[in-house]
Amino acid sequence: KMDSTTAHVCLGNNDVKVGDKVDFVENFCTGSNAIAVNDSGEVRSCEMKVIGTGTVTKLLNSHYSEVKVKEGFKLKEGILVQKRM
C-alpha cells in the first residue's frame, strides 16, 4: 500500500499491462460444513469474494506493478490480487 488509493502488487510485466483491471479478493469463512479447519479444530466453509477493483497504472518490473483502486475501496495490506479475466 503506497497511499489510500495506490498499491504495489505482485503482478509483473509478464502478468499484466497498463490499463488491465484487477480484482482484490479476500477469503471469507463461515459456519461448519466443509473445507477448512481452524486452530481449534472447527470445520469451516470458505469462499473467495471480490471486495474491490483497480486498474494497473504502471509496470515497475518483472514482478510488480502499480495499481490505482476504484473510489470507495479501502486498501489494506495482505489482500490477494488477481487479474480480471
Side-chain angles (χ1 to χ4, degrees):
K1 178 177 173 179
M2 302 307 295
D3 58 38
S4 63
T5 62
T6 308
H8 288 175
V9 300
C10 190
L11 291 171
N13 61 12
N14 292 324
D15 303 310
V16 293
K17 62 185 183 308
V18 171
D20 280 352
K21 305 293 184 201
V22 297
D23 290 327
F24 293 90
V25 295
E26 200 164 22
N27 200 17
F28 290 91
C29 297
T30 55
S32 56
N33 228 2
I35 60 171
V37 177
N38 66 18
D39 292 338
S40 65
E42 175 188 4
V43 178
R44 302 176 59 136
S45 175
C46 299
E47 180 181 0
M48 297 297 285
K49 293 185 180 182
V50 175
I51 58 170
T53 61
T55 303
V56 176
T57 57
K58 186 189 301 183
L59 299 175
L60 301 172
N61 57 37
S62 61
H63 299 287
Y64 291 94
S65 59
E66 187 173 277
V67 172
K68 182 91 167 168
V69 300
K70 277 195 135 177
E71 196 171 316
F73 173 63
K74 294 189 189 254
L75 276 171
K76 62 182 179 180
E77 293 189 27
I79 296 172
L80 298 173
V81 181
Q82 62 187 22
K83 180 180 175 182
R84 186 177 284 179
M85 296 298 167

